[in-house]
Amino acid sequence: MYWPDETGSRETESLGAAMSDRLRALVAETRLVAEALMERRLVDKRHAFALAWLVGVLVFAGGVQPADASQLIDRNATAVKLVVDANGEAMLTYTAGGTVKHLLAWGAVNAIPPTRSRKQTTFSLDYSGGWGRHHVTNYWERAPWVCLPYDGPPLAWKVSACKAPDGSYWAVQSWQRGLPDLGATPSPAQAVWELHLSHWTGATPILDIKLDWSYRKFAHLFGTYTYGGLGEYGFQSTETGVPLDSYGRNIYVDTFDSAYGAGWKRENSFLTHGPKGTFCYGLYPHGNRPSGAGTKYRATVIGPGVAPDVMWEGTSPGPYDPNADAAANAVQKTLGDPHCQVN
Protein backbone atom coordinates (compact mmCIF):
# COMPACT_ATOMS: atom_id res chain seq x y z
CA MET A 1 0.00 0.00 0.00
CA TYR A 2 1.27 3.48 -0.83
CA TRP A 3 0.67 6.38 1.55
CA PRO A 4 2.13 9.87 1.12
CA ASP A 5 5.01 10.45 3.52
CA GLU A 6 7.28 13.48 3.69
CA THR A 7 10.23 11.28 4.58
CA GLY A 8 10.00 9.72 1.11
CA SER A 9 12.16 10.45 -1.91
CA ARG A 10 11.51 11.81 -5.39
CA GLU A 11 8.46 9.60 -5.97
CA THR A 12 6.39 11.57 -3.47
CA GLU A 13 7.01 14.95 -5.11
CA SER A 14 4.21 14.89 -7.68
CA LEU A 15 1.69 14.07 -4.97
CA GLY A 16 3.22 16.65 -2.64
CA ALA A 17 2.69 19.37 -5.21
CA ALA A 18 -0.97 18.47 -5.52
CA MET A 19 -1.87 18.23 -1.81
CA SER A 20 -1.55 20.89 0.85
CA ASP A 21 1.13 20.24 3.45
CA ARG A 22 -1.41 20.26 6.23
CA LEU A 23 -3.75 17.73 4.67
CA ARG A 24 -0.86 15.42 3.86
CA ALA A 25 0.24 15.39 7.50
CA LEU A 26 -3.31 14.64 8.61
CA VAL A 27 -3.60 11.75 6.18
CA ALA A 28 -0.42 10.30 7.70
CA GLU A 29 -1.92 10.47 11.18
CA THR A 30 -5.11 8.67 10.15
CA ARG A 31 -3.57 6.04 7.91
CA LEU A 32 -3.11 3.62 10.79
CA VAL A 33 -6.85 3.69 11.42
CA ALA A 34 -7.56 3.02 7.76
CA GLU A 35 -5.03 0.19 7.66
CA ALA A 36 -6.63 -1.43 10.69
CA LEU A 37 -10.01 -1.32 8.99
CA MET A 38 -8.52 -2.89 5.90
CA GLU A 39 -6.96 -5.69 7.91
CA ARG A 40 -10.41 -6.48 9.31
CA ARG A 41 -11.83 -6.31 5.77
CA LEU A 42 -14.29 -3.62 6.80
CA VAL A 43 -13.19 -1.35 3.95
CA ASP A 44 -11.17 -1.84 0.77
CA LYS A 45 -8.04 0.10 -0.19
CA ARG A 46 -9.92 2.82 -2.10
CA HIS A 47 -12.30 3.53 0.78
CA ALA A 48 -9.47 3.38 3.34
CA PHE A 49 -7.62 6.18 1.59
CA ALA A 50 -10.84 8.18 1.29
CA LEU A 51 -11.38 7.78 5.03
CA ALA A 52 -7.89 9.08 5.79
CA TRP A 53 -8.48 12.07 3.53
CA LEU A 54 -11.87 12.87 5.04
CA VAL A 55 -10.64 12.71 8.64
CA GLY A 56 -7.77 15.00 7.67
CA VAL A 57 -10.18 17.56 6.23
CA LEU A 58 -12.33 17.51 9.38
CA VAL A 59 -9.39 17.97 11.74
CA PHE A 60 -7.90 20.66 9.50
CA ALA A 61 -11.05 22.71 10.00
CA GLY A 62 -10.15 23.04 13.69
CA GLY A 63 -6.79 24.61 12.90
CA VAL A 64 -4.60 22.17 14.86
CA GLN A 65 -2.84 19.15 13.41
CA PRO A 66 -0.03 16.71 14.12
CA ALA A 67 2.96 16.66 11.75
CA ASP A 68 4.66 13.66 10.21
CA ALA A 69 8.28 12.95 11.02
CA SER A 70 9.92 14.94 8.25
CA GLN A 71 8.95 18.20 9.96
CA LEU A 72 8.22 19.88 6.65
CA ILE A 73 6.62 23.25 7.39
CA ASP A 74 6.26 24.91 3.98
CA ARG A 75 8.00 25.56 0.66
CA ASN A 76 9.87 28.57 -0.74
CA ALA A 77 9.39 30.54 2.46
CA THR A 78 10.96 33.97 2.89
CA ALA A 79 11.31 36.47 5.73
CA VAL A 80 11.40 33.62 8.25
CA LYS A 81 11.32 34.58 11.93
CA LEU A 82 11.59 32.05 14.78
CA VAL A 83 10.73 32.77 18.42
CA VAL A 84 10.15 30.43 21.37
CA ASP A 85 8.80 30.50 24.91
CA ALA A 86 9.46 28.82 28.26
CA ASN A 87 6.62 26.31 27.76
CA GLY A 88 8.10 24.29 24.91
CA GLU A 89 6.36 26.19 22.10
CA ALA A 90 7.79 27.87 19.01
CA MET A 91 6.23 30.41 16.68
CA LEU A 92 7.28 30.69 13.05
CA THR A 93 6.34 33.75 11.01
CA TYR A 94 7.16 33.69 7.30
CA THR A 95 5.89 34.52 3.84
CA ALA A 96 4.97 31.82 1.30
CA GLY A 97 2.90 32.16 -1.84
CA GLY A 98 2.60 35.88 -1.23
CA THR A 99 0.92 35.36 2.15
CA VAL A 100 2.27 36.05 5.64
CA LYS A 101 1.81 32.92 7.77
CA HIS A 102 2.05 32.18 11.49
CA LEU A 103 2.70 28.63 12.71
CA LEU A 104 2.70 27.39 16.31
CA ALA A 105 4.64 24.17 17.06
CA TRP A 106 4.90 22.18 20.30
CA GLY A 107 4.87 18.74 21.87
CA ALA A 108 8.15 17.15 20.79
CA VAL A 109 11.89 17.17 21.42
CA ASN A 110 14.72 14.95 20.14
CA ALA A 111 13.81 11.48 18.80
CA ILE A 112 13.26 7.93 19.99
CA PRO A 113 15.29 4.99 18.62
CA PRO A 114 13.71 3.01 15.77
CA THR A 115 10.99 0.66 17.03
CA ARG A 116 8.04 -1.17 15.54
CA SER A 117 5.91 -0.53 18.63
CA ARG A 118 5.17 3.18 18.15
CA LYS A 119 5.57 6.07 15.75
CA GLN A 120 8.49 8.45 15.84
CA THR A 121 8.30 11.67 17.85
CA THR A 122 6.51 14.47 15.98
CA PHE A 123 5.39 18.04 16.50
CA SER A 124 1.83 19.19 16.81
CA LEU A 125 1.32 22.13 14.46
CA ASP A 126 -1.24 24.91 14.53
CA TYR A 127 -1.30 26.80 11.24
CA SER A 128 -3.75 29.33 12.66
CA GLY A 129 -0.88 30.83 14.65
CA GLY A 130 -2.14 29.77 18.08
CA TRP A 131 -5.90 30.20 17.81
CA GLY A 132 -6.53 26.48 17.43
CA ARG A 133 -4.50 25.63 20.55
CA HIS A 134 -5.03 28.66 22.80
CA HIS A 135 -8.08 30.39 21.30
CA VAL A 136 -6.25 33.71 21.54
CA THR A 137 -6.39 36.18 18.67
CA ASN A 138 -2.98 37.14 17.24
CA TYR A 139 -1.26 34.78 19.66
CA TRP A 140 2.02 35.36 17.84
CA GLU A 141 1.99 38.91 19.24
CA ARG A 142 0.77 38.15 22.76
CA ALA A 143 2.89 35.34 24.18
CA PRO A 144 6.22 36.11 25.98
CA TRP A 145 8.34 35.15 22.96
CA VAL A 146 12.14 35.17 23.07
CA CYS A 147 15.05 33.97 20.94
CA LEU A 148 18.14 33.61 23.12
CA PRO A 149 21.46 33.58 21.24
CA TYR A 150 22.15 30.20 19.67
CA ASP A 151 25.27 28.54 21.11
CA GLY A 152 24.63 24.96 19.99
CA PRO A 153 26.41 22.77 17.44
CA PRO A 154 26.95 24.08 13.88
CA LEU A 155 23.93 23.56 11.63
CA ALA A 156 23.78 22.95 7.90
CA TRP A 157 21.22 24.85 5.83
CA LYS A 158 20.40 27.10 8.83
CA VAL A 159 17.83 29.82 8.37
CA SER A 160 17.30 30.67 12.04
CA ALA A 161 18.06 29.10 15.43
CA CYS A 162 17.20 29.96 19.03
CA LYS A 163 18.10 28.79 22.48
CA ALA A 164 15.00 28.41 24.64
CA PRO A 165 14.76 29.44 28.32
CA ASP A 166 14.95 25.75 29.32
CA GLY A 167 18.28 25.34 27.49
CA SER A 168 16.89 23.36 24.54
CA TYR A 169 17.42 24.44 20.94
CA TRP A 170 15.01 25.21 18.11
CA ALA A 171 16.10 25.64 14.50
CA VAL A 172 14.72 26.24 11.03
CA GLN A 173 16.58 24.79 8.04
CA SER A 174 15.87 24.99 4.33
CA TRP A 175 17.20 22.88 1.44
CA GLN A 176 16.15 21.36 -1.88
CA ARG A 177 15.15 17.82 -1.01
CA GLY A 178 13.08 17.16 -4.14
CA LEU A 179 15.72 17.68 -6.85
CA PRO A 180 15.66 15.01 -9.59
CA ASP A 181 18.36 12.36 -9.71
CA LEU A 182 21.36 12.07 -12.04
CA GLY A 183 21.72 15.82 -12.59
CA ALA A 184 18.43 16.25 -14.45
CA THR A 185 17.01 19.75 -14.77
CA PRO A 186 14.40 20.22 -12.03
CA SER A 187 10.86 21.35 -12.63
CA PRO A 188 9.61 24.28 -10.53
CA ALA A 189 7.93 21.80 -8.16
CA GLN A 190 11.17 19.81 -7.77
CA ALA A 191 13.31 22.90 -7.23
CA VAL A 192 11.43 24.21 -4.18
CA TRP A 193 13.26 24.95 -0.95
CA GLU A 194 11.62 23.05 1.90
CA LEU A 195 11.39 24.65 5.33
CA HIS A 196 12.07 22.21 8.20
CA LEU A 197 11.67 22.80 11.96
CA SER A 198 13.56 20.99 14.74
CA HIS A 199 13.78 20.97 18.56
CA TRP A 200 16.48 19.14 20.51
CA THR A 201 18.85 18.98 23.46
CA GLY A 202 22.47 17.82 23.46
CA ALA A 203 24.29 16.52 20.40
CA THR A 204 22.86 16.46 16.90
CA PRO A 205 22.66 13.34 14.66
CA ILE A 206 25.89 12.15 13.05
CA LEU A 207 26.24 11.45 9.34
CA ASP A 208 29.59 9.69 8.98
CA ILE A 209 30.72 9.08 5.38
CA LYS A 210 33.94 7.68 3.94
CA LEU A 211 35.04 7.75 0.30
CA ASP A 212 36.88 5.06 -1.65
CA TRP A 213 36.51 3.24 -4.98
CA SER A 214 34.21 0.59 -6.39
CA TYR A 215 35.52 -1.82 -9.04
CA ARG A 216 38.81 0.10 -8.83
CA LYS A 217 37.53 3.04 -10.87
CA PHE A 218 34.21 4.46 -9.64
CA ALA A 219 33.96 6.85 -6.71
CA HIS A 220 32.17 5.10 -3.86
CA LEU A 221 30.88 6.26 -0.50
CA PHE A 222 29.72 4.38 2.57
CA GLY A 223 28.98 5.15 6.19
CA THR A 224 26.46 5.37 8.99
CA TYR A 225 23.69 7.65 10.16
CA THR A 226 23.34 7.60 13.95
CA TYR A 227 21.75 9.54 16.78
CA GLY A 228 22.78 9.07 20.38
CA GLY A 229 25.07 6.25 19.27
CA LEU A 230 22.24 4.23 17.67
CA GLY A 231 21.59 3.62 13.99
CA GLU A 232 18.76 5.44 12.21
CA TYR A 233 16.72 3.30 9.80
CA GLY A 234 13.17 2.31 8.93
CA PHE A 235 11.25 -0.94 8.79
CA GLN A 236 9.18 -0.57 5.61
CA SER A 237 9.84 0.94 2.20
CA THR A 238 8.90 0.57 -1.44
CA GLU A 239 11.13 -1.32 -3.86
CA THR A 240 12.51 2.00 -5.07
CA GLY A 241 13.47 3.22 -1.60
CA VAL A 242 10.56 5.36 -0.46
CA PRO A 243 10.13 4.98 3.33
CA LEU A 244 6.70 3.78 4.45
CA ASP A 245 7.12 4.51 8.15
CA SER A 246 8.20 7.45 10.30
CA TYR A 247 11.73 6.07 10.87
CA GLY A 248 13.05 5.47 7.37
CA ARG A 249 15.60 7.99 6.13
CA ASN A 250 17.04 8.69 2.69
CA ILE A 251 20.55 10.07 2.20
CA TYR A 252 20.45 12.75 -0.54
CA VAL A 253 23.81 12.94 -2.34
CA ASP A 254 24.93 15.90 -4.47
CA THR A 255 27.98 16.06 -6.75
CA PHE A 256 30.00 19.17 -7.63
CA ASP A 257 31.40 20.07 -11.07
CA SER A 258 30.61 16.70 -12.62
CA ALA A 259 29.65 15.54 -16.11
CA TYR A 260 26.15 16.78 -15.21
CA GLY A 261 27.39 20.37 -15.31
CA ALA A 262 28.98 23.09 -13.21
CA GLY A 263 28.08 23.50 -9.55
CA TRP A 264 26.06 21.21 -7.32
CA LYS A 265 23.74 18.62 -8.92
CA ARG A 266 21.65 15.90 -7.29
CA GLU A 267 23.21 12.47 -7.84
CA ASN A 268 20.74 10.19 -6.07
CA SER A 269 19.04 9.29 -2.79
CA PHE A 270 19.03 5.97 -0.97
CA LEU A 271 17.89 4.40 2.28
CA THR A 272 19.88 3.71 5.41
CA HIS A 273 19.87 0.09 6.61
CA GLY A 274 19.25 -1.42 10.03
CA PRO A 275 20.43 -2.03 12.63
CA LYS A 276 23.40 0.36 12.43
CA GLY A 277 22.05 3.00 10.04
CA THR A 278 24.54 1.89 7.35
CA PHE A 279 24.51 2.67 3.62
CA CYS A 280 26.70 2.60 0.50
CA TYR A 281 26.59 4.06 -3.00
CA GLY A 282 28.74 3.96 -6.13
CA LEU A 283 28.76 6.73 -8.72
CA TYR A 284 28.22 4.51 -11.76
CA PRO A 285 26.85 5.46 -15.20
CA HIS A 286 23.06 4.97 -15.39
CA GLY A 287 21.61 4.20 -18.82
CA ASN A 288 22.43 7.16 -21.06
CA ARG A 289 23.57 9.23 -18.09
CA PRO A 290 27.32 9.41 -17.40
CA SER A 291 28.95 8.80 -14.04
CA GLY A 292 28.26 11.67 -11.66
CA ALA A 293 31.83 11.70 -10.36
CA GLY A 294 32.69 15.22 -9.24
CA THR A 295 35.44 17.14 -7.52
CA LYS A 296 33.57 16.96 -4.22
CA TYR A 297 30.37 15.56 -2.73
CA ARG A 298 27.84 16.42 -0.08
CA ALA A 299 25.03 14.47 1.53
CA THR A 300 22.02 15.70 3.49
CA VAL A 301 19.55 13.71 5.58
CA ILE A 302 16.40 14.62 7.48
CA GLY A 303 16.84 14.41 11.23
CA PRO A 304 15.21 11.58 13.18
CA GLY A 305 12.11 12.64 15.06
CA VAL A 306 12.39 16.39 15.53
CA ALA A 307 16.19 16.46 15.63
CA PRO A 308 17.83 18.78 13.07
CA ASP A 309 18.78 17.82 9.52
CA VAL A 310 22.50 17.16 9.03
CA MET A 311 24.89 17.47 6.10
CA TRP A 312 28.32 16.02 5.24
CA GLU A 313 30.78 17.28 2.63
CA GLY A 314 33.99 15.71 1.31
CA THR A 315 36.41 15.90 -1.62
CA SER A 316 36.79 13.31 -4.38
CA PRO A 317 39.06 10.37 -3.53
CA GLY A 318 40.93 11.01 -6.79
CA PRO A 319 42.63 8.30 -8.88
CA TYR A 320 42.41 4.73 -7.62
CA ASP A 321 44.84 3.97 -4.79
CA PRO A 322 44.99 0.26 -3.93
CA ASN A 323 46.41 0.78 -0.45
CA ALA A 324 43.84 3.43 0.51
CA ASP A 325 41.08 1.29 -0.99
CA ALA A 326 42.14 -1.78 0.99
CA ALA A 327 42.11 0.26 4.21
CA ALA A 328 38.64 1.61 3.43
CA ASN A 329 37.36 -1.86 2.54
CA ALA A 330 38.50 -3.13 5.92
CA VAL A 331 36.51 -0.39 7.61
CA GLN A 332 33.43 -1.13 5.51
CA LYS A 333 33.59 -4.82 6.43
CA THR A 334 33.38 -3.94 10.13
CA LEU A 335 29.96 -2.39 9.52
CA GLY A 336 28.57 -5.82 8.66
CA ASP A 337 25.95 -4.57 6.21
CA PRO A 338 24.85 -7.43 3.89
CA HIS A 339 23.47 -4.86 1.45
CA CYS A 340 26.93 -3.33 1.00
CA GLN A 341 29.40 -5.87 -0.34
CA VAL A 342 33.01 -4.78 -0.79
CA ASN A 343 34.04 -4.75 -4.47
Side-chain angles (χ1 to χ4, degrees), residues 25-36:
L26 291 164
V27 169
E29 285 298 311
T30 57
R31 66 188 178 190
L32 294 179
V33 175
E35 288 171 351

Side-chain angles (χ1 to χ4, degrees), residues 69-82:
S70 72
Q71 310 310 315
L72 173 66
I73 300 301
D74 215 321
R75 295 177 171 88
N76 290 340
T78 60
V80 178
K81 179 183 178 182
L82 171 67

Side-chain angles (χ1 to χ4, degrees), residues 13-34:
E13 295 306 317
S14 60
L15 180 60
M19 297 175 62
S20 77
D21 297 334
R22 286 177 274 186
L23 288 178
R24 184 170 53 258
L26 291 164
V27 169
E29 285 298 311
T30 57
R31 66 188 178 190
L32 294 179
V33 175

Side-chain angles (χ1 to χ4, degrees), residues 145-342:
W145 303 112
V146 299
C147 183
L148 301 178
Y150 179 76
D151 59 2
L155 297 172
W157 308 112
K158 184 178 78 170
V159 176
S160 181
C162 299
K163 186 175 184 178
D166 64 1
S168 65
Y169 297 111
W170 291 84
V172 181
Q173 296 164 283
S174 182
W175 53 287
Q176 294 172 292
R177 185 177 63 89
L179 294 174
D181 295 338
L182 307 180
T185 301
S187 67
Q190 293 170 324
V192 297
W193 288 77
E194 294 185 350
L195 196 68
H196 291 213
L197 178 67
S198 58
H199 182 207
W200 78 99
T201 59
T204 57
I206 297 175
L207 181 59
D208 180 33
I209 295 181
K210 294 176 173 56
L211 286 162
D212 63 351
W213 301 264
S214 184
Y215 301 107
R216 301 184 178 184
K217 59 180 178 179
F218 298 110
H220 173 261
L221 57 84
F222 66 93
T224 58
Y225 181 42
T226 60
Y227 184 51
L230 300 176
E232 291 299 329
Y233 61 94
F235 301 98
Q236 292 181 304
S237 66
T238 69
E239 292 182 355
T240 55
V242 180
L244 295 177
D245 59 34
S246 57
Y247 294 96
R249 287 294 179 267
N250 276 306
I251 310 294
Y252 295 85
V253 174
D254 300 325
T255 180
F256 188 78
D257 284 355
S258 68
Y260 301 149
W264 289 108
K265 306 290 183 180
R266 175 63 43 82
E267 166 62 21
N268 214 328
S269 61
F270 45 85
L271 286 169
T272 62
H273 309 142
K276 297 181 180 180
T278 50
F279 53 85
C280 54
Y281 182 79
L283 283 93
Y284 312 126
H286 294 268
N288 63 352
R289 301 295 290 173
S291 166
T295 60
K296 56 184 177 179
Y297 307 100
R298 69 185 180 194
T300 305
V301 58
I302 295 171
V306 297
D309 302 348
V310 293
M311 189 262 281
W312 165 92
E313 185 173 323
T315 58
S316 168
Y320 175 69
D321 181 332
N323 293 327
D325 194 37
N329 289 345
V331 173
Q332 183 176 337
K333 288 179 180 178
T334 66
L335 299 179
D337 187 342
H339 301 285
C340 295
Q341 299 297 321
V342 173

Side-chain angles (χ1 to χ4, degrees), residues 89-105:
E89 295 185 339
M91 181 68 71
L92 267 177
T93 299
Y94 61 93
T95 299
T99 302
V100 176
K101 301 182 180 182
H102 305 282
L103 167 72
L104 180 68

